[in-house]
Amino acid sequence: MAVQAGRTGMMTPSFVPPAPVRRLRDLTRARAVFTQERSRHKQRAEKLLEDAQIKLTTVATDAFGVPGRAMMDAMTAGRRDPRELARLAKGRMTTKYDALVEALTGNFNDHHGYLLKVFLDTIDHLSAQIADLDREIETAIAELPGPDNAGSGTARGPGIIECLDAIPGVGPHTAQILLAELGPDMRAFPTADHLTSWAKLCPRTVQSGAKNGAGRTGKGNPWLKALGEAAMTAARTDTFLGARYRRLVKHMGHAKALVAVARSILVIAWHLIDDPDAAYHDLGADWHQRHLDPARKTRDLVRQLERLGHQVTLVPTAA
């Protein structure tokens, strides 16, 4: 039945982007995998230090920053004196000398040194591969044609990245992922609602008999989970998206509010990619207050007080 429906045009075809977009998608996905693997090796290195009773992470905000990395390299080279290691601190870490000496006092031996060097070499190798992928991704984006000029040699990719980067919570890497997963041509998604439905960022309606209820959003493109990270970043900003999160989290909870913000980011991305002349302009954190209906807000507050057993009499203030 499915084959027959597909032949007769009764089924919508799957979204298959053109070859340049697929090549860009391969690069961004490979970078994501390597980044995750590098994070795992950093965690393994931190666990190894904990096993040796080295508490570097309790003092250094980033154990793999310049000072922390210098200390770990010195330990793998055979230097074990805590005071000598603590003197490798730089910047603000120099004020934590005593705490560093205490944190670097442990049972670090040659076995730990060998394994730590293996982990650090792997981290360096992955960092070099990620840097190479970054350059390849930038080249692929620079050569990515737009939907209207596929044969002209003029690319829209860099302009789209710049526009997407203006969205709160969306950085250059997230913008590159969005472009790679969605492509520069939004004709595959006639409206923003089609895109959010494809990405599974809209609630589903679950029907059972005469009952209709809200269901889970479902499993969408797993590589678009960067939208969740962007939503978490945007939720902490003093912008329209940040204010939207703070309004929704009161009655929806943290997880659902983040999904709603991620959906808003995807809708904004659809408009920016679909219209070459569009640019992002933040509405401001006070947009909802400025567009508040005073009569409706007054009615809601009066009803809340009445439910608490109060009798409310409204007296308008003098103009």
Side-chain angles (χ1 to χ4, degrees):
M1 289 294 294
V3 174
Q4 184 178 359
R7 289 175 178 175
T8 57
M10 297 174 63
M11 294 180 62
T12 303
S14 300
F15 171 55
V16 179
V21 179
R22 295 200 302 271
R23 287 193 290 268
L24 174 61
R25 178 183 287 182
D26 290 340
L27 293 171
T28 56
R29 291 181 178 183
R31 182 179 64 184
V33 171
F34 285 5
T35 302
Q36 292 172 358
E37 192 61 31
R38 183 176 62 179
S39 298
R40 292 191 184 99
H41 277 79
K42 287 182 178 180
Q43 292 170 354
R44 293 185 181 104
E46 292 174 359
K47 185 177 180 180
L48 180 69
L49 293 176
E50 291 287 337
D51 180 70
Q53 298 181 1
I54 302 296
K55 307 293 184 180
L56 181 60
T57 55
T58 63
V59 181
T61 304
D62 181 11
F64 290 89
V66 174
R69 180 57 192 267
M71 295 174 192
M72 286 188 283
D73 287 337
M75 285 189 285
T76 59
R79 298 162 62 184
R80 308 292 161 76
D81 183 8
R83 297 186 178 278
E84 181 183 355
L85 295 173
R87 282 193 287 271
L88 296 174
K90 296 180 180 180
R92 288 181 294 180
M93 283 186 65
T94 56
T95 61
K96 305 176 182 179
Y97 177 79
D98 294 335
L100 278 172
V101 172
E102 183 179 359
L104 293 169
T105 303
N107 297 319
F108 194 90
N109 54 37
D110 292 339
H111 170 71
H112 296 116
Y114 170 75
L115 283 179
L116 182 59
K117 188 176 188 307
V118 171
F119 292 150
L120 294 179
D121 289 345
T122 305
I123 291 169
D124 291 341
H125 174 70
L126 289 171
S127 296
Q129 295 294 323
I130 291 170
D132 289 340
L133 285 170
D134 285 336
R135 289 188 287 269
E136 288 295 325
I137 288 170
E138 291 177 359
T139 301
I141 290 175
E143 298 173 353
L144 193 65
D148 297 326
N149 52 11
S152 64
T154 304
R156 272 195 65 206
I160 294 177
I161 295 299
E162 184 178 354
C163 289
L164 294 176
D165 190 21
I167 305 174
V170 177
H173 278 201
T174 305
Q176 291 171 353
I177 292 172
L178 287 174
L179 180 58
E181 297 301 326
L182 306 180
D185 188 357
M186 288 293 100
R187 285 179 293 187
F189 307 102
T191 66
D193 290 338
H194 285 81
L195 177 58
T196 56
S197 177
W198 172 80
K200 296 297 187 290
L201 284 177
C202 59
R204 294 185 300 124
T205 300
V206 178
Q207 185 175 3
S208 177
K211 283 186 174 182
N212 289 328
R216 295 179 177 272
T217 54
K219 297 181 180 180
N221 186 333
W223 303 98
L224 285 178
K225 67 179 182 180
L227 284 171
E229 300 170 2
M232 285 190 288
T233 303
R236 297 190 293 267
T237 61
D238 189 25
T239 61
F240 171 78
L241 292 175
R244 176 170 171 76
Y245 168 81
R246 290 186 285 273
R247 288 179 69 249
L248 296 177
V249 74
K250 298 176 183 177
H251 60 88
M252 295 178 61
H254 174 70
K256 290 184 178 180
L258 283 181
V259 172
V261 174
R263 180 188 183 280
S264 297
I265 293 176
L266 191 58
V267 170
I268 295 170
W270 182 90
H271 286 284
L272 293 177
I273 298 175
D274 184 62
D275 185 0
D277 299 323
Y280 178 78
H281 299 285
D282 190 69
L283 298 176
D286 60 341
W287 187 88
H288 294 288
Q289 293 295 331
R290 289 187 282 108
H291 292 76
L292 188 67
D293 184 357
R296 180 178 179 180
K297 185 66 174 178
T298 301
R299 182 175 66 251
D300 292 342
L301 293 175
V302 168
R303 288 175 177 173
Q304 292 179 27
L305 290 172
E306 289 176 345
R307 282 196 295 268
L308 294 174
H310 301 287
Q311 184 177 358
V312 180
T313 302
L314 299 178
V315 179
T317 58

